[in-house]
Each structure stands twice: as C-alpha cells, then as structure tokens.
C-alpha cells in the first residue's frame, strides 16, 4: 500500500457511517484512467469544521478501519472558515501514488481524530472501453442495475447495523484511549521528572567527580609530602632510639644511685632516730633546767625577803648604816617601826652597854645585793653560786639567767 509523506492520524476503531454525511464528495467518476492525476472534489457541510490534520484517503471498498487506506493527501484549510459550505474544495492525487489494479475504491474524509466524516461512491482505475460508452437501453440491463442497487441497499443496511455495534465499540475504545492518554501523560510527566532528576544526579556526580579528582591530586601531593616526612621521622626515630638507649642506661645508673641513696637514707633514718632520741634527752634536760631556773627564781625571791628582813633587823638594833660597808635601804615607814608588829617593837628604845656583835655581810653573786653572812652561807649550801648561770648541755656554753630565751633557742638549734 503506497502512502504520501508522513502518516496521517488513524484509528483502530471500525468505521462509523453516522458521520459520513458531514462531507459530500462531488463529481466522482465511475472509473479513472491509470497514469493520470486524479482530482477529488468535496464540499463541507455546516455541521462540520475542518482542522489542520484532516486528510482524504483512497480506500478499497470493504475497508474496516481508517488504517486500511491505500494513499492519502492532507487537506487545505479554507481561507474563510465561516463560509466554507458555499465553496467546493479539492485535493489532487498524483498518478504515481494511485492503485494499479481494477478493484473498486472510494474517497473518505478523515478528521485528525481518525473519524470518517464523508465517503464517496465506489470507482475503479482502469482504461476506458467501448462498453462504458454504450447507453443502456435494454430492460434487462435496467433490472440488473436495480438488482445491483438492491444489493447495495442491503449491504448498506448491513453496514448501518454493524455501524451501531462499531459505534459502541468506538465509544469503549475512545474511553480506553482517553484513559491510556491520561496514563501516557502521567508517564510523560513522571518521565520528565525522572529525566530532570537524572540530569541533576548527573550534574551532581560530575561535580563530585571533579571534587574527587581535586582531592586525589591533593592526596597525591600530600602523600609525597608525607613520604618525605616519614623519612624525616624515621631518621628522627633512629636518633631518638639512640637517645632512648642512652636514657635507659642513665636510668639504670640512676636506679643504682637510687638504691645507694635508699641505703644512705636508711642509715640517715637510723641516725635521725638516734638524733630524735638525743633531742628528747635534750628536751628533758631543758625541762630540768627550766625547773632549776624556777627553783632559782623562787630562792632569789626568798633571798630578797631575807634581805629585807635583815635590813629591818639591823634597823631595829639601831645600827649606823652609814658606817657600814654596805647600804641598807631606808624604811619608808620610819625607824623603829616593824611592819610585822602591830604595836611596834618593845625593845626599840633599849641599848645595851656593850657593842653588839654584827653579822658578817656578803654580796649576792646574782643581784649584787648585801646579804647577811649566815644567810649567804645557807644559800651557798643549798645551791652553789655557779649553778645560777645557764649552761648548754651540748657545747657547755654559759648564759646569764636573764638570757633564758636565747639559751632555749641555742639548745634547740643543736636538734636541727
């Protein structure tokens, strides 16, 4: 089957004759001579409006769907679509695309939805003969034509009956087609989105690939630097291992020294314990010295009292203290008065005829005061004079009694 350039819109739906009257074909010949162009004339009714993708095809008589066309031509839209029914339209089929057999064909107008809007009477492509020129005058031929017309009417009725069935099928197919088109649109939308995502993913991958290449170059450069650094670290490690060996040896030496120091520390600890014992002894000695100092202080206070009593006694005896080698402090209460007697001394006015025997007088080695001889002897017998000084029990250094704090600090220094 020969076709013009491009495929027209067709439909698999069987033919529907209810629309055949919307386009009327005019001046259709019974036959066309092969080898010549064929012009198809047609008129559009007011019930139909042509569109750009409408076409006219040549179909073999008995066709079932619009896909069975032999050849076709696109229509030319009229200039004035509001006044198209008053003007005859035409298309021309080139001889090259026309059928070469003597079968019956017909013109069909098909819109861009694949629906047939008009069909012509059948015609043939064959040479002209004398029989075609003869005029039918016999009654038999008339009856034969009428019989042929009846057969055509019968066939037309059958075609109308099948048209109803085909129309229902067409409606179902149209609904299915509409659903398919909607699914197709959905698939197209999904496909478009997927293509967009693929494009975005591709761009992302290209960007990541470029980044990975840059990172790879950086890593290569860093690997080279790391190789140099590794060599340096290995050399440094070798040097550090030697230093470590040296440090280990030094640590061993220090460990030995530490052992020696531990031994010395033990000995020092023993020595310290002995020194602590000695310090305890010194502290005990210091306590004893403090006790002795307290006793000496008490005795000194007693000597002071005895001195005062001695002075009072001498005053009581009426001695001339100016002629004495020592001075007795004056009695603030007056001569002849004794503080211990309430009514005074009953012997204050009596003087014996003979000179009294005066006790010997001595100097106190501590306070340089005058003390009666018998009192001084009694004190000397209780404690020697040299014990009144503070002597260090370690170095035998002497300190005066008023240097007690210095003496304690000195003794404490020996314990450090």
């Amino acid at each position: 089957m020969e076709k013009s350039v491009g495929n027209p819109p067709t439909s698999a739906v069987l033919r529907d004759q209810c629309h055949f009257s919307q386009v009327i074909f005019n001046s259709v010949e019974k036959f066309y001579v092969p080898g010549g162009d064929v012009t198809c004339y047609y008129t559009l009714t007011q019930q139909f409006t042509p569109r750009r993708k409408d076409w006219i095809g040549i179909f073999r008589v008995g066709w079932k769907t619009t896909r069975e066309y032999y050849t076709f031509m696109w229509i030319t839209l009229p200039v004035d679509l509001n006044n198209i029914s008053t003007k005859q339209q035409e298309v021309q089929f080139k001889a090259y695309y026309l059928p070469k057999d003597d079968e019956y064909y017909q013109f069909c107008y098909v819109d861009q939805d694949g629906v047939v809007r008009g069909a012509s009477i059948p015609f043939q492509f064959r040479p002209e003969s004398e029989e075609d020129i003869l005029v039918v005058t016999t009654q038999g031929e008339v009856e034969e034509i009428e019989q042929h017309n009846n057969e055509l009417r019968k066939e037309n009725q059958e075609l109308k009956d099948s048209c109803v069935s085909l129309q229902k099928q067409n409606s179902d197919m149209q609904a299915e087609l509409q659903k398919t088109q909607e699914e197709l649109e959905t698939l197209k939308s999904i496909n478009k989105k997927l293509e967009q995502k693929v494009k975005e993913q591709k761009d992302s991958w290209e960007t990541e690939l470029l980044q990975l290449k840059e990172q790879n170059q950086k890593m290569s450069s860093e690997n080279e630097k790391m190789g140099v650094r590794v060599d340096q670290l290995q050399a440094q490690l070798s040097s550090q291992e030697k230093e470590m060996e040296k440090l280990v040896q030094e640590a061993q030496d220090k460990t030995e020294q530490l052992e020696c120091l531990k031994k010395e520390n033990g000995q020092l600890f023993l020595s310290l314990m002995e020194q602590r014992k000695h310090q305890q002894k010194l502290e005990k000695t210091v306590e004893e010295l403090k006790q002795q100092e307290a006793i000496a202080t008490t005795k000194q206070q007693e000597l002071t009292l005895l001195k005062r009593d001695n002075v009072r006694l001498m005053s009581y005896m009426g001695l001339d203290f100016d002629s004495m080698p020592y001075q007795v402090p004056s009695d603030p209460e007056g001569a002849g008065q004794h503080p211990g007697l309430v009514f005074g001394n009953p012997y204050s006015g009596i003087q014996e005829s003979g000179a009294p025997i005066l006790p010997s007088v001595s100097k106190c080695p501590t306070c340089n005061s005058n003390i009666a001889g018998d009192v001084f002897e009694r004190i000397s017998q209780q404690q020697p004079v040299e014990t009144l000084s503070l002597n260090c029990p370690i170095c035998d250094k002497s300190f005066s009694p008023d240097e007690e704090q210095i003496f304690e600090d000195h003794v404490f220094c020996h314990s450090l």
Side-chain angles (χ1 to χ4, degrees), residues 94-342:
K94 297 296 181 180
Y96 178 79
Y97 297 105
L98 296 175
K100 303 297 188 290
D101 55 20
D102 57 354
E103 296 291 334
Y104 282 94
Y105 293 88
Q106 63 181 148
F107 298 113
C108 291
Y109 188 103
V110 184
D111 62 12
Q112 66 180 21
D113 296 327
V115 179
V116 178
R117 300 295 180 174
S120 69
I121 62 175
F123 57 85
Q124 289 180 298
F125 294 94
R126 62 180 177 83
E128 186 178 4
S129 61
E130 294 181 356
E131 295 178 355
D132 298 326
I133 301 174
L134 295 177
V135 178
V136 179
T137 57
T138 61
Q139 182 66 29
E141 291 177 350
V142 173
E143 292 177 355
E144 184 179 354
I145 291 172
E146 290 179 355
Q147 183 179 359
H148 181 65
N149 289 334
N150 292 331
E151 291 176 356
L152 289 176
R153 291 190 187 96
K154 183 178 179 181
E155 183 180 357
N156 188 23
Q157 184 63 37
E158 292 175 354
L159 290 174
K160 287 181 179 180
D161 294 338
S162 68
C163 179
V164 176
S165 176
L166 292 175
Q167 186 176 4
K168 184 177 183 304
Q169 293 180 4
N170 183 34
S171 178
D172 295 339
M173 293 294 290
Q174 289 289 342
E176 185 177 356
L177 178 62
Q178 182 67 25
K179 183 179 179 181
T180 304
Q181 287 179 348
E182 292 176 356
E183 293 177 353
L184 181 61
E185 292 297 329
T186 303
L187 291 175
K188 285 181 179 180
S189 177
I190 295 174
N191 186 36
K192 186 176 181 180
K193 292 180 180 179
L194 290 175
E195 288 178 354
Q196 182 66 24
K197 288 183 179 180
V198 169
K199 185 177 181 301
E200 293 176 356
Q201 188 67 32
K202 183 178 179 181
D203 295 339
S204 176
W205 286 346
E206 289 178 353
T207 304
E208 291 179 359
L209 180 61
L210 182 60
Q211 293 177 353
L212 289 175
K213 287 182 179 179
E214 293 177 355
Q215 292 179 359
N216 188 22
Q217 292 177 355
K218 291 181 180 179
M219 291 296 293
S220 299
S221 177
E222 290 179 358
N223 286 336
E224 294 178 357
K225 293 180 181 179
M226 290 297 292
V228 176
R229 181 59 178 167
V230 167
D231 295 337
Q232 295 177 353
L233 290 175
Q234 287 179 350
Q236 186 177 357
L237 179 61
S238 178
S239 176
Q240 289 180 353
E241 287 178 351
K242 294 180 180 179
E243 293 180 359
M244 183 64 70
E245 293 176 355
K246 184 177 179 181
L247 291 174
V248 170
Q249 184 64 34
E250 292 179 355
Q252 292 178 354
D253 296 340
K254 289 183 178 180
T255 302
E256 295 176 357
Q257 294 178 1
L258 182 61
E259 293 295 330
C260 295
L261 291 174
K262 286 182 178 179
K263 293 180 180 179
E264 293 179 359
N265 188 25
Q267 296 175 356
L268 290 174
F269 179 75
L270 295 176
S271 177
L272 180 61
M273 294 299 295
E274 292 178 356
Q275 289 181 0
R276 286 183 178 177
K277 291 179 181 179
H278 183 64
Q279 181 181 357
Q280 291 176 356
K281 291 180 180 180
L282 292 177
E283 290 177 353
K284 185 176 180 181
T285 302
V286 170
E287 290 294 331
E288 293 176 354
L289 290 174
K290 287 183 178 180
Q291 293 177 359
Q292 292 178 3
E293 181 183 3
I295 294 172
T297 302
T298 303
K299 289 181 178 181
Q300 185 177 0
Q301 293 176 355
E302 291 178 356
L303 288 175
T304 303
L305 294 175
L306 290 174
K307 176 183 177 182
R308 184 177 297 174
D309 292 339
N310 186 26
V311 171
R312 290 175 180 175
L313 180 61
M314 292 177 68
S315 175
Y316 173 76
M317 292 175 68
L319 297 177
D320 186 5
F321 297 103
D322 295 334
S323 61
M324 300 295 291
Y326 60 90
Q327 296 292 331
V328 179
S330 61
D331 189 356
E333 298 179 358
Q337 298 296 327
H338 196 280
L341 299 178
V342 178

Side-chain angles (χ1 to χ4, degrees), residues 57-96:
I58 297 177
F59 292 80
R60 181 179 296 177
V61 174
W63 58 273
K64 301 297 182 182
T65 66
T66 55
R67 293 180 179 179
E68 299 178 14
Y69 66 91
Y70 185 87
T71 186
F72 78 97
M73 289 294 297
W74 298 107
I75 69 164
T76 301
L77 289 176
V79 178
D80 187 6
L81 294 177
N82 296 325
N83 192 19
I84 57 177
S85 62
T86 60
K87 185 176 180 181
Q88 182 174 261
Q89 311 294 324
E90 63 179 46
V91 293
Q92 189 177 48
F93 292 90
K94 297 296 181 180
Y96 178 79

